Amino acid sequence: MSADTKIAELLTELHQLIKQTQEERSRSEHNLLNIQKTHERMQTENKTSPYYRTKLRGLYTTAKADAEAECGVLRHSLDKIAEIKSLLEERRLAAKIAGVYSDSDPPRKTMRRGVLMTLLQQSAMTLPLWIGKPGESPPPLCGATPASSDYVAKQGDKVAARVKAVDGDEQWILAEVVSYNHSTNKYEVDDIDEEGKERHTLSRRRIIPLPQWKANPETDPEALFSKDQLVLALYPQTTCFYRALIHTPPHRPQDDYSVLFEDTSYADGYSPPLNVAQRYVVACKENKKK
């Protein structure tokens, strides 16, 4: 089965799941309305009789079951979306290897700067939000949660890579993994801003995988970097990571970090607060300020 056919099938299944979600929600709304009306009658009569207690117990049990059913459908929908994104990425990588690009994904070396910046913003916005079950801890690469020690980034993954610049200085750039050699423990990566122009061969210690999920500040605040923590953050409108301090962590799932970049042109050594998406904020391996 071709990737296009599989994607079409998954989209059809996703459409059905969305309809099922609405059906589950409509069914549960009727029960929630009954709960509200029961509470209103209790307030009017100013008493809590055994009858009302039994009725509410039954209504709340049903409401809980309805919510769990809707949650199950939503999780199934998220799985389908993840499958579709994975297939689209596989298709993109296959086209890249074959040297064939679609209009929506031209070679980076011919891509206008503004188009690249837009794609990076879209990548940050579409990074999936981790939604765990009650009591479940966020997985590695969720928000600030680091990858496991034996983790190997896959082909096509975006990473922060430490490379030598033309002037000999080292810098952290946004790169895409081309391959990993298990014999030498080294990656081959392409600079996201100069794809096809120069390929870097780097050891594992020069690679930091980017988050694969956004952390929800409302449910998993421990999976976020905290205020004043030292990080590497992608400077706005560039493809380079620089040292920064967390000024304000996200308060809502859709919020960015507010960070202070190290900048000697300012009296206190830091820039004014700038917003950077969760996708592009990683732990800084260097603890001391240069």
Side-chain angles (χ1 to χ4, degrees), residues 7 11 22 24-25 42 48 68 80-81 109 127 134 146 157 168 188 195 201-202 234-235 259 275 277-280:
I7 289 171
L11 286 171
Q22 188 55 50
E24 292 285 353
R25 187 163 298 176
M42 288 169 57
T48 306
E68 290 172 345
K80 294 296 178 186
I81 292 171
K109 60 184 177 182
L127 188 69
D157 281 358
E188 281 198 339
E195 186 173 314
T201 301
L202 304 169
L234 195 71
Y235 197 89
V259 306
N275 288 345
Q278 282 197 48
R279 170 73 162 163
Y280 303 122

Side-chain angles (χ1 to χ4, degrees), residues 53-92:
R53 283 198 294 269
T54 302
K55 182 177 182 179
L56 281 174
R57 188 178 295 113
L59 289 172
Y60 276 114
T61 299
T62 301
K64 181 174 180 291
D66 288 345
E68 290 172 345
E70 183 180 341
C71 182
V73 177
L74 288 171
R75 289 185 184 281
H76 197 187
S77 301
L78 290 173
D79 290 340
K80 294 296 178 186
I81 292 171
E83 283 187 67
I84 292 169
K85 291 183 71 174
S86 177
L87 285 170
L88 289 171
E89 179 65 6
E90 287 177 14
R91 189 172 66 179
R92 184 188 72 82

Side-chain angles (χ1 to χ4, degrees), residues 20-226:
Q20 187 180 345
T21 300
Q22 188 55 50
E23 291 169 2
E24 292 285 353
R25 187 163 298 176
S26 298
R27 184 161 55 86
S28 65
E29 283 175 353
H30 176 71
N31 187 63
L32 293 174
L33 184 60
N34 281 338
I35 291 175
Q36 181 183 344
K37 289 181 177 179
T38 302
H39 277 289
E40 289 173 352
R41 284 196 293 269
M42 288 169 57
Q43 290 177 348
T44 301
E45 298 177 14
N46 197 26
K47 66 177 182 179
T48 306
S49 65
Y51 165 75
Y52 282 132
R53 283 198 294 269
T54 302
K55 182 177 182 179
L56 281 174
R57 188 178 295 113
L59 289 172
Y60 276 114
T61 299
T62 301
K64 181 174 180 291
D66 288 345
E68 290 172 345
E70 183 180 341
C71 182
V73 177
L74 288 171
R75 289 185 184 281
H76 197 187
S77 301
L78 290 173
D79 290 340
K80 294 296 178 186
I81 292 171
E83 283 187 67
I84 292 169
K85 291 183 71 174
S86 177
L87 285 170
L88 289 171
E89 179 65 6
E90 287 177 14
R91 189 172 66 179
R92 184 188 72 82
L93 290 172
K96 177 183 173 182
I97 293 170
V100 179
Y101 296 84
S102 67
D103 292 338
S104 60
D105 187 29
R108 296 283 193 269
K109 60 184 177 182
T110 61
M111 190 182 297
R112 290 182 179 178
R113 187 80 180 171
V115 175
L116 176 57
M117 293 301 110
T118 299
L119 290 177
L120 295 183
Q121 288 177 344
Q122 290 175 348
S123 175
M125 290 175 62
T126 57
L127 188 69
L129 179 70
W130 168 254
I131 304 175
K133 297 178 181 178
E136 186 177 10
S137 298
L141 295 180
C142 172
T145 310
S148 58
S149 59
D150 59 349
Y151 177 80
V152 174
K154 302 185 297 296
Q155 181 187 30
D157 281 358
K158 304 300 186 294
V159 296
R162 189 174 186 178
V163 301
K164 281 191 175 181
V166 178
D167 58 8
D169 289 340
E170 295 196 332
Q171 62 181 1
W172 288 94
I173 64 168
L174 179 60
E176 181 176 303
V177 173
V178 176
S179 63
Y180 179 75
N181 188 319
H182 288 272
S183 299
T184 61
N185 290 327
K186 289 187 176 181
Y187 285 97
E188 281 198 339
V189 301
D190 281 339
D191 185 337
I192 202 74
D193 201 18
E194 298 179 347
E195 186 173 314
K197 184 176 180 182
E198 184 178 2
R199 184 158 291 177
H200 303 276
T201 301
L202 304 169
S203 62
R204 291 181 61 163
R205 64 185 177 83
R206 288 178 170 266
I207 296 292
I208 305 176
L210 298 190
Q212 295 183 353
W213 295 275
K214 283 187 284 192
N216 188 342
E218 298 168 353
T219 57
D220 304 298
E222 74 282 0
L224 291 165
F225 293 109
S226 55

